Amino acid sequence: MTVEPWVWTTTIIFIVALLAYDFIFHVRKAHIPTLKEASLWSALYVGIAVLFGVGVWYFGGHQMGGEYFAGYITEKALSVDNLFVFLVIMASFKVPREDQQKVLLFGIIFALIARTGFIFLGAAILESFAWAFYLFGLILILTAGHMLKKDDHSDDADNLIIRLAKRFLPTTDHYDGDKLFTMENGKRVLTPMLLVMVAIGGTDILFAFDSIPAIFGLTQNVFIVFTATAFSLLGLRQLYFLLDGLLDRLIYLSYGLAAILAFIGVKLVLHALHENTVPFINDGHHVPVVEISTGTSLSVIVGILIVTILASLFSKAGKAQTAVNNARRHAVNYLDATYTSDQAERERLYSLLIAEEREILTMPTKYRNKVKDIDAIRAKVDEAHAVHREMSGTA
């Protein structure tokens, strides 16, 4: 189905307006979002995406609507996985809690711009070269295999761009509010705020190499690819704060995403065989294979995500890992004087730490002791207790 230019224009203006509203009314003034604020706006953005999909289904037909929802759900799931990396990057740069919203919004805007470029490039390649479906399918299958490997993302914040910036440009290790540049010893220097934005922007480009082929495996309609990608990114900032502390609980998410990417990769290869023009495959003729329908794709994707999420939430090992990792994170943040200037936020962190310790003590020892670096985590928690006693004047 051909999408009229005015529909494209209206959609782009609407998306830009949402981003502008988000910046002016939520991000420009540094603050820590409450759970209520994060929940309300996360639900609103999901609601907007769903309503848009209903409109696509009504005006474009069930095929187009199904492709949108399959693409949106897949991209949203991949975006949640990306939040793990954002968490590591911001922890590595010790971004003050109040300023994390600005970093995330920049990452979303950069990702939207970069992925839009990848979308039109991918569409041009697929239209001109039918063999590209084989390439996209192979990329997704290889990515799925890579996701099954254990990866702590420890070096995600130390990419080439950051190393070059630190080596050749004047930088400082100290934040100056949310400023990108500051004066130090009479010289204008880059702040870590700019560097962390570059780090997140750089990782967003890497994420596009699996997210864009994935959605092209579900639809070749550029309008659907663009809108499903855009609406999956909108609200990601609020979702970060809503899922804060729960991300570690989704211990099987990477396995579920690997299964989804592998499934879409196989779907792409089957489509490539059906449209085959490669001379050394069946003498350049089409190969009669079964193609996977949009309805089947949507069902498989939703089914895999439901199983993955339920398995993660009800896993005893997952509960233990979540509680221990959250205790470590809250202890580290509590001890870091630069993490936040809000004393109420520090007390909230300590209260969470106490609650998590109580939960950990109710869990079987075999699950607690499986967590990596458990002894170091215990030492960090004890240090947080000692600091709190000293600050409160209790023995």
Side-chain angles (χ1 to χ4, degrees), residues 53-127:
V54 171
V56 170
W57 198 299
Y58 180 80
F59 292 105
H62 70 277
Q63 174 74 18
M64 198 170 175
E67 290 176 355
Y68 168 82
F69 280 111
Y72 172 75
I73 292 170
T74 300
E75 292 298 303
K76 197 68 173 179
L78 288 169
S79 296
V80 171
D81 188 55
N82 296 347
L83 290 181
F84 285 96
V85 182
F86 290 168
L87 184 65
V88 171
I89 291 174
M90 287 198 280
S92 300
F93 281 92
K94 296 184 178 180
V95 181
R97 184 71 164 172
E98 296 88 340
D99 298 321
Q100 290 181 359
Q101 290 196 97
K102 189 172 185 178
V103 174
L104 287 167
L105 185 60
F106 168 84
I108 291 169
I109 293 173
F110 187 92
L112 188 54
I113 295 172
R115 294 185 191 195
T116 298
F118 279 117
I119 287 169
F120 285 102
L121 177 62
I125 292 173
L126 291 176
E127 185 175 349

Side-chain angles (χ1 to χ4, degrees), residues 203-275:
T203 55
D204 276 327
I205 293 177
L206 296 178
F207 294 151
F209 283 102
D210 56 53
S211 66
I212 299 306
I215 194 168
F216 269 117
L218 299 168
T219 177
Q220 284 80 59
N221 187 312
V222 178
F223 181 76
I224 296 300
V225 172
F226 171 76
T227 52
T229 301
F231 284 114
S232 72
L233 291 172
L234 292 175
L236 195 60
R237 175 184 65 80
Q238 293 85 350
L239 191 62
Y240 174 89
F241 291 95
L242 180 62
L243 295 181
D244 184 26
L246 295 177
L247 286 173
D248 288 328
R249 185 67 170 271
L250 302 175
I251 61 174
Y252 299 124
L253 180 62
S254 60
Y255 296 102
L257 291 176
I260 290 173
L261 292 181
F263 168 77
I264 298 175
V266 171
K267 184 177 185 295
L268 272 171
V269 172
L270 290 175
H271 179 74
L273 289 170
H274 188 268
E275 303 292 331

Side-chain angles (χ1 to χ4, degrees), residues 18-80:
L18 286 175
L19 290 170
Y21 181 89
D22 208 12
F23 176 78
I24 295 171
F25 293 99
H26 293 114
V27 175
R28 187 168 60 175
K29 183 180 179 181
H31 72 286
I32 302 170
T34 63
L35 181 62
K36 180 180 179 180
E37 178 185 340
S39 302
L40 177 64
W41 284 97
S42 293
L44 179 62
Y45 276 113
V46 171
I48 290 172
V50 171
L51 286 176
F52 184 85
V54 171
V56 170
W57 198 299
Y58 180 80
F59 292 105
H62 70 277
Q63 174 74 18
M64 198 170 175
E67 290 176 355
Y68 168 82
F69 280 111
Y72 172 75
I73 292 170
T74 300
E75 292 298 303
K76 197 68 173 179
L78 288 169
S79 296
V80 171

Side-chain angles (χ1 to χ4, degrees), residues 268-290:
L268 272 171
V269 172
L270 290 175
H271 179 74
L273 289 170
H274 188 268
E275 303 292 331
N276 179 61
T277 58
V278 179
F280 57 83
I281 297 178
N282 198 33
D283 293 327
H285 300 298
H286 303 334
V287 180
V289 293
V290 176

Side-chain angles (χ1 to χ4, degrees), residues 342-355:
D342 187 342
Q343 189 58 35
E345 174 67 8
R346 287 179 61 81
E347 288 302 317
R348 185 187 74 87
L349 289 174
Y350 190 74
S351 298
L352 289 173
L353 178 59
I354 296 295

Side-chain angles (χ1 to χ4, degrees), residues 249 251-252 305-316 318:
R249 185 67 170 271
I251 61 174
Y252 299 124
L305 285 176
I306 290 174
V307 171
T308 298
I309 292 171
L310 290 178
S312 297
L313 293 178
F314 289 100
S315 165
K316 291 182 179 180

